[in-house]
Amino acid sequence: MNLSESALPGYRHQSEAVRARFERIRAREVILEVRGLGKHYRSPQGETEALRGIDFSVHRREFVCVIGPSGCGKSTLIRILAGLDHHTEGEALLDGKPIKGPGQDRGMVFQGYSLFPWLTVKKNVMFGPQMNGHARDDAERDALMWLELVGLEKFADAYPHQLSGGMRQRVAIARALVNQPRILLMDEPFGALDAQSRAKMQSHLIDIWKNIDITVLFITHDLDEAIYLADRILVLKAHPGEVQEVIEVPVPRPRTPGQFSSPEFLATKARLEQLIHPAAEPESDDEQKVKPHLIRLTDVHDNVE
Amino acid sequence: MSTITQWLGSGADVEARRRMLLGLGSFLLPLLVWCLVSYVPFVWHPKMYVTAPGGVDFFQVGMLVDKPMFREEVADMQKAHQPLPEGYAANPIYLPAPGAVAEAFYNGFVNPPQTSDVPSMPASLWHSIQVIFWGFLISSLIGVPLGILSGTYSAVGRLNEPFVEFFRYLPAPAFGALAVAVLGIYDGPKIAIIVIGTLFQQVLIIANTTRKLEVTIIEAARTLGTKRLGLLTRVVVPGILPDLYRDQRILLGWAWTYLIVAELIGTSSGITWFITQQARYQHFDNVYAAIMTIGIIGFGTDLVLGRLGRRLFPWDSSQDRR
Ligand SMILES: Nc1ncnc2c1ncn2[C@@H]1O[C@H](COP(=O)(O)OP(=O)(O)O)[C@@H](O)[C@H]1O
Ligand SMILES: [Mg+2]
């Protein structure tokens, strides 16, 4: 954060409305607090430090995106918060209580389609409430309500394999939200979707987030997606995974796709690009090992370019 | 609809009909070859069936002799001005014609022999099916839960799999004498051989299938509040069920293979006993009919189970579509 302000005009500059909004967010209680979080993986190949000294907190109904190059520990971080992995240093608190294992207070949406293929859409959504001891009828009523909210009530009796990618992720969101978690953790949930469904899902997610009391921690490697969705963006760097900067997105809400070319948006994007793809990016070791050796397999006169 | 099949030239709509025709063809082609060899006298037919011995003193009516020998004798008789032997080209006794086998097949079920010393085909078959049923049931009662547990909990897997892995290399028939000593001479040792032959493979195959269940599915269930036993009963088991079902179909096929060995142990019985007896009396048409019956039952069961699989697991698009 020691870069001169003049080199990057704008991304820290907030309009009155945006500043007031951040004031309001900061006034809300902290839902998630991460302090000095670290994670070492021990494997036969040796030890990897996936995360080191991660500090941040998320306020109620805040939308926080985590961005960073591949392998910087984004998934590791969110898995620790979901309780699927254990951290080795520091602490992670949800509503002030240390996170130990998975719990109903956190919902998770994975990149891969993690729906239960043997259950219909409705039963997928009913799964959580039933596991948590709700009666069948209550679970069914809740499930139908949430399916309506994500616009899939017509597909209640379909099986996941009959749905498109975007629809499956809607079900996954409904399935996570029906448990009424405090925070929704999403690990590149739209990463496998085509551009069009991805844009649709982004707007849809914002709509959901606006209408219910939910806090979102959203991982992505798509800069536009992060800026479009987030209040704040946590930028990680790799080897070891550390927080590089926390950016307060200056783009005002409500967000529209039209803002993709607004000055605030472009300034933020320029800053993210600078952080994530530094000018002379050295190739990673793995990339260097892969050197394709192309030989001509077509007629020499048959040129395509 | 895989690209590979499309490349190989099977379109979308005609495909079902075409596949059916090809499937039918896969049966008709061997049958056609068999008919050619059996009914067209100049195809193969290395023997002569003697209808009249003529002057050859060692020829008898109904004897099958090699063609060159027959020709030699004919030449000899011509020289000696003796009556010539007569006969027609025939196949060896071990290759009955399709018609004869079909007849044996029909008679085997419709007019089983009344004598009590020769077993009838339906009775033999029913006995075999019972042995298979019990063998496979006992094996599955142990193997399926153990396989699922081994695949789910690595500690359980490590505790039994090395031993199972070792044991599966011990040929099941080698336990025949031991099984007879322990379980007597009737069906006990036969069922035991099928269990020994199936169980160890079953544990390993099902453990593997269980391990292949996608981790994210289990993790998703955990984030939704599923704990220990719930993970096993509500996630792992339903998650692997279609594949488990497919494994069981394959294993059932193996159980049939072990049946043939098992039935020779102790007092011979069942369809294998029937086949051995008929071969001893040189009733090869009955032998073929019995072998085919096994094939038809095995294939038929699998076909029915395949259909059933599609009903049972509508979400599993990989249940094979025949
Ligand atoms: N189970 C594991 N065992 C060992 N190393 C791991 C494991 N999971 C992730 N890592 C390592 O931790 C680092 C961060 O991985 P990950 O969190 O998946 O990154 P991202 O999601 O940002 O791409 C990587 O270097 C990866 O190789
Ligand atoms: Mg990741």
Side-chain angles (χ1 to χ4, degrees), chain A residues 79 82-84 102-104 106 108 110 113-118 127-128 130-132 159 161 175-176 179, chain B residues 213-214 216-227 230-231 234-236 238-240 314-317:
Chain A
R79 288 171 54 82
L84 295 171
Q104 241 198 108
R106 281 149 291 145
M108 175 105 169
F110 300 81
Y113 307 125
S114 58
L115 298 180
F116 306 123
W118 62 92
F127 188 89
Q130 285 189 301
M131 279 295 134
N132 294 303
Y159 282 99
H161 75 91
R175 186 180 66 171
N179 273 348
Chain B
L213 180 65
E214 245 171 284
T216 28
I217 285 188
I218 296 179
E219 288 181 341
R222 287 178 63 204
T223 63
L224 292 170
T226 323
K227 306 240 159 54
L231 277 179
R234 301 291 302 273
V235 184
V236 175
I240 64 166
W315 68 90
D316 184 42
S317 48

Side-chain angles (χ1 to χ4, degrees), chain A residues 36-41 47-55 67-74 76-77 88-89 235-245 275:
Chain A
L37 193 83
K39 169 78 183 172
H40 286 262
Y41 279 114
E47 225 182 77
T48 336
E49 187 173 17
L51 292 173
R52 177 195 288 174
I54 306 285
D55 280 303
I67 201 163
S70 155
C72 70
K74 305 183 294 291
T76 305
L77 173 65
T88 44
E89 289 97 36
V235 187
L236 297 188
K237 68 167 220 14
H239 306 300
E242 283 179 303
V243 179
Q244 225 177 335
E245 186 172 341
L275 289 170

Side-chain angles (χ1 to χ4, degrees), chain B residues 184-243:
Chain B
I185 54 168
Y186 298 107
D187 285 349
K190 302 180 203 310
I191 293 173
I193 294 301
I194 292 180
V195 172
I196 293 172
T198 318
L199 175 63
F200 298 95
Q201 316 280 353
Q202 199 168 28
V203 173
L204 294 177
I205 288 181
I206 290 175
N208 237 349
T209 295
T210 311
R211 282 196 198 98
K212 273 192 282 187
L213 180 65
E214 245 171 284
V215 194
T216 28
I217 285 188
I218 296 179
E219 288 181 341
R222 287 178 63 204
T223 63
L224 292 170
T226 323
K227 306 240 159 54
R228 300 154 197 287
L229 200 61
L231 277 179
L232 193 64
T233 57
R234 301 291 302 273
V235 184
V236 175
V237 172
I240 64 166
L241 214 51
D243 288 330

Side-chain angles (χ1 to χ4, degrees), chain B residues 61-90:
Chain B
V61 175
M63 209 177 181
L64 279 175
V65 296
D66 288 342
K67 252 184 192 162
M69 185 206 269
F70 190 86
R71 258 185 248 122
E72 222 169 82
E73 294 299 332
V74 170
D76 283 354
M77 292 304 110
Q78 267 169 341
K79 258 187 242 151
H81 300 288
Q82 295 264 350
L84 300 183
E86 282 165 41
Y88 57 83

